[in-house]
Amino acid sequence: MEALRADMFEEICPSTVLPFRIGSDKWAGLVLRCLEDGPRRYSELRVPLARISPKMLTQSLRNLERDGFVSRAQHERRVTYELTALGRSLLGPLRAFCDWAEDHWDELLDARES
């Protein structure tokens, strides 16, 4: 499994311009994308999600776990987070939403400015 890159997400992601969120959490989609390739430790998630405060990342992970999208596994000296089947089922719609947002970004910005 490849390491997560610090530049995995654009600076504008997530944006208040986007009309959709997973639950009330604007960071949830990014967390799900980080877990797409398999289980990750908290410290691994911090690399591409450095703009999120540690408290907010913890809260996002707890909310995703509570809602059944992510599972938390306690190992001897570490904790990992992994997508559940329900979480994996969101990856397709999430990709479609990202594509839609990219295609309509200028329209979203224009609407917000008017």
Side-chain angles (χ1 to χ4, degrees), residues 88-105:
R88 287 212 163 278
S89 73
L90 271 177
L91 292 176
L94 186 58
R95 272 188 216 99
F97 174 68
C98 290
D99 291 343
W100 177 88
E102 189 174 321
D103 291 345
H104 297 281
W105 188 250

Side-chain angles (χ1 to χ4, degrees), residues 19-32:
F20 304 107
R21 294 179 181 210
I22 298 169
S24 61
D25 187 347
K26 72 178 185 177
W27 302 105
L30 302 183
V31 174
L32 294 175

